[in-house]
Amino acid sequence: MHALVPRLSQLEEFLCGPPQVLLPRIRAAALRRLLQDWASRGRDGHPPGHLPGRADFPPESLRYILGNLILWQTGADPRTATCRLFGANLVFERGFDLTGRAVTDHPQPAIGELTAFGLERIVAERLPVLTRGRYPGPDNTVAEIETVCLPLAADGQSIDMVLQGQINRSLRPGDSATPPTRLDTACDEPAILLPRIGDARLAQLLRDWDGWRGRRRLPSRDSFRPEDLRYILGSLFLFDIEPGTPDWPAPRFRYRVFGSAVAESRGFDLTGRRIDEHPDIAFAARAQQAYAAAASARRPLWALADGVSPDGLVARFEALILPLARDGETPDMMLAAQVMASPVS
């Protein structure tokens, strides 16, 4: 047994094996489905020992767990693995974003060590790994974390990535589980998103965006005028997209317009600053992830999340993120709106 495992006294499960061994031990239904999907993609029409690749998992096929996925890019030495995707739900629940960071940079070293050890086992044995344990969470909570890690190989043989599904359950020490803070997201075409939107202004904005693009995939900033959006103007944000750099691989989003109604209620205006400079660190992390997801998918993203209102009460917010592209294809700006849906009792 690896030396680090006995130090993780909260670790309840660590098992490397084939799907038929792991499936009966997985608690979360979404993780069981992910493992079954992986097994079918590796088996169907391929010889024994063939592994599925990243291309076998288009985002639309993973909607049931997309916000809870981590994608590791690995190589001969799994301890140098880099996180290429850290799901929006995980950012919100854990309070940090690992996108672009090495596994050795994990802010919780015990989990980082366990992850590195799991990646080593996966690469060595070419089999999935199941883990489950309890670790410190934010605000004096304890988080039960269950993960399923799956090897991927673009050529079917040489593992180059590991897909990790992770379900967190927040616990109060000594108490039963408390319900997680709400975060619902969906990234899809307008016809799919419209039935989910509760606020009439956001629904109208999505219909307008759909009309602006005509036959193009995406509309541009020149497709609309501010006076066309008077019905929601004070709640609108407009962003420039800045490409990633070696120090920050993910794209960044700089506020060109910060809604006047939001600025007045919040007491600050971030015009000219980036999302990751938002004073609410937890909001900044999940917003950065959501905007990156919408830009990558080149589709609108809808979100419904709990947060703190300007008067200090817990409230439910609804938001819409819309990609814009000068050439109709490659997003270079983002248009977004956020409204308070309702107080939360």
Side-chain angles (χ1 to χ4, degrees), residues 233-250:
L233 197 59
S235 300
L236 280 181
F237 307 96
L238 185 65
F239 299 87
D240 291 313
I241 302 177
E242 299 177 347
T245 65
D247 293 333
W248 186 294

Side-chain angles (χ1 to χ4, degrees), residues 98-342:
L98 288 178
T99 303
R101 299 173 66 178
V103 65
T104 51
D105 291 335
H106 198 292
Q108 295 177 292
I111 299 180
E113 286 188 25
L114 176 61
T115 302
F117 176 54
L119 293 174
E120 285 183 321
R121 288 288 299 274
I122 290 168
V123 171
E125 301 190 28
R126 300 171 56 81
L127 290 170
V129 163
L130 164 67
T131 69
R132 186 169 51 252
R134 294 186 178 188
Y135 306 94
D139 301 324
N140 297 316
T141 61
V142 172
E144 180 184 80
I145 302 176
E146 185 174 37
T147 73
V148 169
C149 297
L150 306 165
L152 301 178
D155 63 1
Q157 297 298 322
S158 301
I159 297 173
D160 54 8
M161 288 190 169
V162 171
L163 183 63
Q164 175 178 336
Q166 178 170 313
I167 302 297
N168 302 330
R169 190 166 65 107
S170 296
L171 307 172
R172 296 285 176 184
D175 293 340
S176 59
T178 58
T181 303
R182 179 167 184 170
L183 176 64
D184 294 336
T185 63
C187 188
D188 217 318
E189 289 297 317
I192 303 298
L193 296 186
L194 276 168
R196 306 187 70 162
I197 298 177
D199 188 272
R201 295 165 296 174
L202 294 181
Q204 183 60 50
L205 179 61
L206 182 56
R207 285 192 288 266
D208 286 345
W209 178 91
D210 193 26
W212 297 335
R213 60 180 177 168
R215 295 183 178 180
R216 302 193 306 170
R217 179 164 186 171
L218 298 174
S220 72
R221 169 61 186 88
D222 296 332
S223 302
F224 61 93
R225 302 169 300 169
E227 52 265 35
D228 298 332
L229 300 173
R230 286 176 181 152
Y231 61 91
I232 199 172
L233 197 59
S235 300
L236 280 181
F237 307 96
L238 185 65
F239 299 87
D240 291 313
I241 302 177
E242 299 177 347
T245 65
D247 293 333
W248 186 294
R252 300 177 83 175
F253 304 89
R254 186 186 293 274
Y255 289 95
R256 178 179 287 199
V257 173
F258 192 86
S260 58
V262 179
E264 182 177 353
S265 65
R266 290 292 179 180
F268 57 80
D269 185 346
L270 296 181
T271 301
R273 302 180 67 178
R274 301 183 182 98
I275 284 179
D276 50 271
E277 297 174 297
H278 195 288
D280 183 337
I281 296 174
F283 170 84
R286 64 180 185 264
Q288 170 73 24
Q289 189 76 18
Y291 278 87
S296 176
R298 294 186 289 176
R299 289 177 174 177
L301 186 144
W302 165 87
L304 190 67
D306 291 347
V308 179
S309 67
D311 56 9
L313 300 177
V314 177
R316 187 151 292 155
F317 293 88
E318 190 172 20
L320 189 64
I321 301 172
L322 303 166
L324 305 175
R326 188 178 295 106
D327 64 2
E329 290 290 336
T330 305
D332 52 24
M333 299 185 78
M334 304 293 281
L335 178 68
Q338 176 184 300
V339 299
M340 190 171 78
S342 63

Side-chain angles (χ1 to χ4, degrees), residues 56-87:
D56 293 316
F57 292 89
E60 56 268 23
S61 72
L62 296 170
R63 286 175 183 159
Y64 63 93
I65 197 173
L66 196 58
N68 291 78
L69 287 180
I70 302 172
L71 185 65
W72 297 100
Q73 184 167 358
T74 186
D77 182 3
R79 288 185 169 271
T80 63
T82 300
C83 180
R84 294 304 179 197
L85 169 70
F86 197 75

Side-chain angles (χ1 to χ4, degrees), residues 15-26 32 35-36 38-39 43 127-128:
L15 186 61
C16 181
Q20 62 268 28
V21 173
L22 301 190
L23 279 169
R25 307 186 70 90
I26 299 175
R32 288 196 296 271
L35 179 55
Q36 290 167 331
W38 176 87
R43 179 179 61 244
L127 290 170

